[in-house]
Every structure is written in C-alpha cells, then in structure tokens.
Amino acid sequence: MNEAYDLLWKQILNNLRKTVSKDFFNYFNNTSLVELNENKAVITTNTIINSYMLNSEKDAISAAFEELFNSKFDIDIEYVENYKRNIFTETIFEEFNDNLSDEFTFDNFIEGPSNLEAKTAALACATAPGNRYYNPLIIYGNSGLGKTHLLNAIGNFIKKNDNENRILYISSRDFVNEVVKALKDNTIDDYKNKLNTLDVLLVDDIQFLSGKEKSNEIFFDIYNELFNNRKQVVLTSDRLPSEIKDIHDRLKTRFSQGLAVTITSLEYETAYKILESKMIQHNIDNIDSDVIGFLATNFRSDVRQLEGSLNRIIFYATNFSKNPDKNIDLELCTEAFKGQQAIIIDSQRPLEIGSIIKAVCDYYGLTKQQIISKSRTKNIATARHIAMFLCRKHLDESFDKIGDAFGGKDHTTVMSACEKIEKLVKDDEVYKKIISDIENVFIKK
Ligand code: ADP
Ligand code: MG
C-alpha cells in the first residue's frame, strides 16, 4: 500500500535474487514490506507456507537490508492475515473502554431472598466466565431492583481477577445507536470485529432491541461468534425473553440456551438492610429504627425509590428540623412525606380488583383497556388470565364479579383462566416467579 516501501522492497528483492536459489525465490511471490523503522522491518506473505519458508532464510533477507541501508535490521515475516489481525487487535485495545461503573460490586450488593438466585448465578458466572451452564446468563426483573448493579459487579469482579480479559458493558440502546452509526459510516465490520474479540459481553436492558431489525441481526452474529468461542455473555431484561415483542425468534431461542434468573421485589428485611448499608456508607447514624422500617415498608418496590426516600428524609431533617440535634423520628418522617401521602395511603388501602389489574398492567407494560379488552394477543391474554387468577386468589370474589370487572366476561372464561394459571404456576417455575413478582407489588407489608 505504501509506494515508498514497495520501491524499497523491489530493490531488496533484486539483491536477494542474487543470493538465494531460483526455486527459493518463488517464495517471495506476493510479499510486501509493510513496516520499516530504524532497526526493524516487517514483511508479509500471502500464504502461511511462504512465511514459514522465508523465516528459514531470515539471515539472507537481513543481509539484503543491510546492504541497502548499511545497518542491521530485525526481520519479522508474517502471514498477511495474522498481521492484519494483530494490528487490528492492537489498535482496538489501545482505545478500548469497558464502560464499567466501578461503584457497583458484589461487596456492596445486599443479598436477600428476592435477589439471592440472581446474585448467586452472577457470582458463579463471574468466577468461571464462559461456563456453558450459564451462558448466556440472563437476569430479569422490574426496574430498580439491581440488574445493572449485578451486571457491572460481574464485569468488575472478572476484571479484578484477571485484567487480561476484554470486557464490555453496553446498554442495548447504546448498542443500537452504535450499529446505526457504524452502518451509516460503513464501519459495521470493524464494529462487529471489535465485539467479536471480547471475552465478556454484558448487555443491559435487551428489551430495547425490540423492533430494531438490523441490530437484532448483528447482535445475533456477534452472540453466535462469542458463544461458539465459549466467551461469556450476560444480559438483563425487564421482562421474560418470550414477552419481548419484535425480537427475532432465533435470538429468543439463543437466550433460553443458558440460565435465566429473576430478581423480584424486595422483601421488607432486605429493604431494611439496604437502608442500613446506605446509612453506614454515608456515615448516617441519627435515624430511628421505626423510621427505617417506615421507609422499608413504603418504598421497597424499587431500590432507587428506597434510596431516594432516604435522601429525602435526610434533606428534610437537615433543612427543616426544629431540633437538628435530635434523631430523625417518625414524627419528622411523617412531615417529610406529607406531600407524598397519596402514595403511602394508597398502599395501605384494602386490596381491590383495580389494584391487582394495575399491578399486572405495570408488570407487562399494558394499559387497563388492553387487559379488559377482548384481544387474544398472547401477552395481553396471558396478563388478563394472570390478573383474573390473582383476583380470585386474593379477593375470593365470585367468578361472575371478576368477569364483570374485566369488561363483562363470562364466568366460565374466568374459571378456565384461573384453572390454566393455577396449573402453570404449579408446573412452571417461570410462572411461579411472575406471580410472586406481581404479588410483591400489590401486597405491601
Ligand atoms: P435496575 O438496573 O434493575 O433498574 P439498578 O441496578 O440500576 O436497577 O439499581 C438501582 C439502584 O439500587 C442502584 O443504585 C443500585 O446500586 C441499588 N441497588 C439495587 N439492588 C441493590 C442491592 N441488593 N443492594 C444494594 N444496592 C442495590
Ligand atoms: Mg438497569
């Protein structure tokens, strides 16, 4: 490619022609000089055998360089494809950024029944990445329950144990953006090659691949390449792969190849422990335990909200407490959340069909209209059946009354929905989890 190198190489070949046999000279066909600095020259060959043969005549080649430049050179002879690959690897590693957030680790992840399964799997995977039992590992759960935290913890753990590993954390939104950009710039092969050389790929929120045709395709290729090379892939999603709309079936099949684990809503004790650990982290020791209990009860559906509630109460106490030396007590706490009364009262109201329907809608990302409609679309129908089942289980309403609340459905429809879900819950761990996830939302402690 470099004209000056080409001319030099021609000249050196002319010298070599005089020193090596005619037959041997054939091994110089299709060779190039690709690098030359003060004391080193790199020559590429277009076959492996040629590189092997020329390596046996390095001295002659070195002498030819010396004749021309009057100084000694180290000669490196490489098969052109290997050379290109090495160059590529060197350049991408120079500018490689793993995107990991180092504040998320296993050490500061509080364990409880709701996340134990996910944490155990994440730790196992971080300890022995690439193991086929959890490749891919997919962690699913509602927003704010620690998926991103665990994904980063895996990356940070692997990095700490062996910093030779090439790790990338990426949200599927960013992945889609990168793909779109690379397609536009005509650099999609480079982007794919870059990801294909990873040891660990951590993709957050894969539900955003939904409907992104080209990104699905490219992700599929990268996934296969990594999987076939026993590289670890970890994914998170806010819903089951089977519930993600407009994502290639072949991707869904791949996702179900490894291990899927769920994080469910926190139980009171875990929420309490998280608050305690945050307080230690921030050197806070002036909050009464019944206040912590209040926060753990009312904000445990989302750890982000839980942390927010702690921030709010500290902010309130610092700025508005009449007696700043006193501990933060329940009275101050009630004041601090005055404006948010609605949320709290809501959670203490007796359970109604409406709140069950709402919890199911939130879980599936559907509207109430969709749930009570006649639609037979799979996820809508499943959500409807689950909501009917939950109403029957928790409210002990008659089938007729439940049918009425679901847009005037016949009692036999409700009955068969309940039977169907009851059976699924018995036979299928996944359904069992969905149900307990949803229950966790509407049954507050
Ligand atoms: P998700 O990705 O599931 O929406 P995140 O991982 O972003 O949730 O978690 C939200 C916040 O809650 C983060 O600050 C995270 O560190 C914290 N968090 C979640 N679960 C835990 C846990 N079990 N222990 C400690 N912090 C947690
Ligand atoms: Mg997240």
Side-chain angles (χ1 to χ4, degrees), residues 30-77:
N30 297 315
T31 52
S32 313
L33 173 65
V34 288
E35 271 180 49
L36 185 69
N37 56 37
E38 265 171 88
N39 49 19
K40 186 182 164 195
V42 182
I43 290 141
T44 58
T45 64
N46 72 335
T47 65
I48 292 176
I49 182 80
N50 283 5
S51 77
Y52 178 77
M53 293 308 292
L54 294 186
N55 262 301
S56 69
E57 281 293 347
K58 255 188 182 174
D59 288 348
I61 301 170
S62 178
F65 272 86
E66 197 173 341
E67 191 182 335
L68 190 67
F69 293 103
N70 232 346
S71 67
K72 286 218 176 299
F73 277 84
D74 276 339
I75 307 294
D76 198 2
I77 298 155

Side-chain angles (χ1 to χ4, degrees), residues 9 40 49 76 93 111 115 154 181 194 219 222 232 247 267 309 323 331 337 348 364 380 391 429:
W9 186 231
K40 186 182 164 195
I49 182 80
D76 198 2
F93 292 143
E111 204 175 278
N115 58 36
I154 294 174
K181 186 169 168 289
K194 175 173 145 178
F219 187 71
I222 293 168
Q232 181 68 47
I247 187 164
E267 41 300 300
S309 74
N323 188 354
E331 192 189 334
F337 290 99
Q348 288 169 349
Y364 280 96
I380 299 180
C391 288
E429 283 297 313

Side-chain angles (χ1 to χ4, degrees), residues 142-149 151 169 204-205 207 236 304:
N142 283 343
S143 164
L145 297 181
K147 299 185 297 297
T148 300
H149 189 132
L151 202 55
Y169 165 90
D204 211 355
D205 292 318
Q207 69 271 13
T236 74
R304 231 174 261 126

Side-chain angles (χ1 to χ4, degrees), residues 320-335:
F320 302 108
S321 172
K322 292 182 196 82
N323 188 354
D325 295 331
K326 221 176 84 188
N327 260 13
I328 299 178
D329 58 14
L330 211 48
E331 192 189 334
L332 189 77
C333 171
T334 317
E335 260 178 63

Side-chain angles (χ1 to χ4, degrees), residues 372 374 388 400-411 413-414:
I372 65 171
K374 291 203 174 97
M388 288 173 167
D400 270 331
K401 181 134 189 255
I402 297 173
D404 288 347
F406 282 79
K409 305 270 182 313
D410 193 71
H411 72 279
T413 312
V414 182

Side-chain angles (χ1 to χ4, degrees), residues 140-394:
Y140 61 95
N142 283 343
S143 164
L145 297 181
K147 299 185 297 297
T148 300
H149 189 132
L150 279 181
L151 202 55
N152 277 282
I154 294 174
N156 286 322
F157 186 97
I158 297 175
K159 188 164 140 182
K160 204 168 110 198
N161 277 349
D162 177 2
N163 65 8
E164 291 285 291
N165 275 304
R166 292 185 298 284
I167 307 170
L168 179 70
Y169 165 90
I170 190 163
S171 73
S172 75
R173 269 209 178 104
D174 285 342
F175 175 78
V176 170
N177 290 340
E178 295 278 346
V179 167
V180 170
K181 186 169 168 289
L183 286 170
K184 203 171 119 229
D185 299 346
N186 234 343
T187 52
I188 193 68
D189 286 341
D190 291 347
Y191 187 63
K192 273 168 100 169
N193 284 334
K194 175 173 145 178
L195 267 61
N196 284 342
T197 60
L198 290 169
D199 295 301
V200 181
L201 175 61
L202 310 164
V203 187
D204 211 355
D205 292 318
I206 51 160
Q207 69 271 13
F208 293 121
L209 284 179
S210 160
K212 310 289 188 315
E213 184 65 25
K214 196 71 192 166
S215 297
N216 264 244
E217 214 173 275
I218 287 163
F219 187 71
F220 182 76
D221 291 346
I222 293 168
Y223 176 84
N224 280 340
E225 177 73 19
L226 294 179
F227 183 80
N228 292 337
N229 289 310
R230 295 181 162 256
K231 305 298 185 185
Q232 181 68 47
V233 179
V234 188
L235 313 162
T236 74
S237 170
D238 70 353
R239 64 204 78 168
L240 283 170
S242 58
E243 304 285 342
I244 307 176
K245 281 182 290 177
D246 297 329
I247 187 164
H248 285 180
D249 282 341
R250 52 186 193 166
L251 260 185
K252 288 187 190 173
T253 317
R254 289 293 188 282
F255 293 162
S256 53
Q257 226 163 17
L259 177 66
V261 288
T262 327
I263 313 185
T264 56
S265 292
L266 300 180
E267 41 300 300
Y268 173 82
E269 290 74 15
T270 315
Y272 197 100
K273 273 198 242 160
I274 291 181
L275 288 168
E276 279 181 325
S277 90
K278 299 286 162 191
M279 286 165 58
I280 293 171
Q281 197 182 329
H282 300 294
N283 285 324
I284 304 161
D285 57 2
N286 61 338
I287 304 185
D288 282 355
S289 59
D290 52 359
V291 172
I292 306 172
F294 173 89
L295 302 181
T297 305
N298 287 293
F299 298 98
R300 67 194 165 87
S301 62
D302 176 333
V303 185
R304 231 174 261 126
Q305 268 186 34
L306 193 67
E307 290 178 348
S309 74
L310 188 64
N311 293 341
R312 182 181 175 88
I313 196 149
I314 290 163
F315 166 81
Y316 194 86
T318 321
N319 291 288
F320 302 108
S321 172
K322 292 182 196 82
N323 188 354
D325 295 331
K326 221 176 84 188
N327 260 13
I328 299 178
D329 58 14
L330 211 48
E331 192 189 334
L332 189 77
C333 171
T334 317
E335 260 178 63
F337 290 99
K338 234 179 5 220
Q340 307 206 349
Q341 210 69 317
I343 312 172
I344 295 162
I345 290 172
D346 191 33
S347 69
Q348 288 169 349
R349 235 180 15 212
L351 198 51
E352 299 169 349
I353 293 187
S355 42
I356 292 183
I357 294 186
K358 182 170 183 313
V360 176
C361 286
D362 288 350
Y363 185 86
Y364 280 96
L366 299 171
T367 62
K368 183 180 171 203
Q369 283 319 314
Q370 285 173 306
I371 293 259
I372 65 171
S373 71
K374 291 203 174 97
S375 164
R376 285 172 186 269
T377 309
K378 191 161 177 274
N379 69 327
I380 299 180
T382 307
R384 182 183 309 127
H385 294 162
I386 287 177
M388 288 173 167
F389 164 82
L390 286 170
C391 288
R392 179 75 185 167
K393 178 174 165 192
H394 291 279

